[in-house]
Amino acid sequence: MSSVLRPPSSGQQDPSIAAHYRPISSHLAITPPVSVVIPAMNEAENLPYVFKTLPDWIHEVVLVDGNSTDDTVEVARSLWPGVKVVEQHGKGKGDALITGFEACSGDIIVMVDADGSADGGEIVSYVSALVSGADFAKGSRFANGGGTDDMTFIRKLGNWALCTVVNRKFGARYTDLCYGYNAFWRHCLDKIDLDCTGFEVETLMNIRVVKAGLKVQEIPSHEYLRIHGTSNLRAVRDGFRVLKVILKERSNRRELRRQEQHSPMLDTVRGELS
């Protein structure tokens, strides 16, 4: 693919190539700029762990500040001097991510949580999947090679049940549903049209990429424990919000099919063929 370059074995590199390609491993270099979006609210203590794992070849880091009352913004700027700080005017993780996506200038967008549970070193796997042909690289804690240190039995059961429903109703083949470590080409945003504000945004993205016919590749990922503070996630409350999104998207899909079946254009085509 044109996005992939294998460095010459001689060790000599054409200066014109070096100016356009970003080496990301010993055998892979890319041209697309990569933006990392980090939604954060009062995560000053966790950001040092988050930024420490981010690769230095990233084009930009977009921190979406959810009206923090601690030193989140100051810490981010000290750790990554070129960080782009965007103020969140609404509430919720979904709103924060949408705000961050709009501020990105990269061709590839990566979503990373600010609690220290994600390893930035895994970004290379996500980007590799995208430049190799995937539209959406979806992190999975339950794919072979993945794992989690931060899920109770009840949350695992709920995630499995919701994931099963999505797979059956939308023809997906996911092993994980409610996980926020994902990456995608910027053009995907035009096809999934995000419009929710809470934690259910991840589920909405996963459903709509399938409905849009985008190519999805799961990436094994390990979720670590939140380092400091407590999560705003509430298993029962947010589980019902996820279920509500699934039912709404299923209903919308049925309505779209009904409209397609009764469209005047389709009736005209059928008449011509009969």
Side-chain angles (χ1 to χ4, degrees):
M1 238 180 141
S2 61
S3 301
V4 181
L5 172 71
R6 295 186 181 279
S9 58
S10 64
Q12 298 296 321
Q13 190 173 24
D14 185 336
S16 63
I17 292 178
H20 296 87
Y21 282 82
R22 295 176 175 82
I24 66 174
S25 72
S26 60
H27 62 283
L28 179 68
I30 62 171
T31 55
V34 177
S35 297
V36 173
V37 176
I38 305 176
M41 184 175 70
N42 297 328
E43 299 284 8
E45 291 185 289
N46 290 321
L47 289 183
Y49 301 92
V50 176
F51 280 86
K52 181 174 64 175
T53 67
L54 295 181
D56 58 8
W57 46 262
I58 289 173
H59 167 63
E60 69 178 355
V61 175
V62 177
L63 181 92
V64 184
D65 178 47
N67 301 305
S68 298
T69 56
D70 65 0
D71 297 329
T72 291
V73 173
E74 291 76 12
V75 170
R77 285 176 172 154
S78 67
L79 294 169
W80 200 280
V83 65
K84 181 186 293 185
V85 177
V86 181
E87 182 180 351
Q88 180 183 359
H89 297 291
K91 293 183 178 181
K93 185 176 184 180
D95 180 82
L97 285 172
I98 293 171
T99 300
F101 296 159
E102 291 175 349
C104 289
S105 62
D107 295 328
I108 290 175
I109 298 175
V110 184
M111 304 156 48
V112 176
D113 287 340
D115 58 6
S117 63
D119 178 7
E122 293 179 358
I123 291 178
V124 63
S125 297
Y126 288 83
V127 172
S128 295
L130 295 176
V131 299
S132 297
D135 296 305
F136 190 88
K138 182 193 177 312
S140 173
R141 296 161 291 188
F142 304 110
N144 187 26
T148 177
D149 301 330
D150 194 31
M151 287 188 77
T152 63
F153 173 76
I154 295 299
R155 284 181 58 198
K156 287 182 179 179
L157 181 61
N159 186 61
W160 171 83
L162 294 169
C163 189
T164 300
V165 172
V166 167
N167 287 343
R168 290 181 178 178
K169 297 299 182 182
F170 298 95
R173 300 177 65 183
Y174 294 139
T175 60
D176 196 353
L177 184 68
C178 307
Y179 189 42
Y181 201 172
N182 304 301
F184 52 91
W185 289 100
R186 184 182 182 85
H187 67 76
C188 293
L189 293 173
D190 297 329
K191 300 180 180 179
I192 60 178
D193 190 25
L194 300 176
D195 54 5
C196 70
T197 60
F199 281 100
E200 69 274 15
V201 66
E202 294 140 3
T203 296
L204 183 65
M205 294 181 75
N206 294 332
I207 291 175
R208 289 190 177 173
V209 295
V210 171
K211 290 171 67 174
L214 299 175
K215 184 177 180 181
V216 180
Q217 181 173 331
E218 284 198 332
I219 305 298
S221 177
H222 192 98
E223 178 188 39
Y224 297 91
L225 289 170
R226 163 181 276 274
I227 299 174
H228 296 287
T230 57
S231 172
N232 292 318
L233 177 68
R234 298 294 178 267
V236 176
R237 178 200 66 187
D238 294 308
F240 276 112
R241 293 185 69 164
V242 168
L243 180 59
K244 184 177 179 180
V245 163
I246 295 172
L247 296 176
K248 181 180 178 181
E249 291 299 302
R250 178 61 175 170
S251 177
N252 289 345
R253 190 182 188 190
R254 287 176 176 172
E255 177 62 20
L256 180 60
R257 285 180 175 177
R258 188 190 69 79
Q259 292 176 1
E260 291 176 345
Q261 290 173 353
H262 295 85
S263 67
M265 183 177 295
L266 186 58
D267 291 340
T268 300
V269 173
R270 285 171 176 167
E272 293 175 350
L273 293 176
S274 61

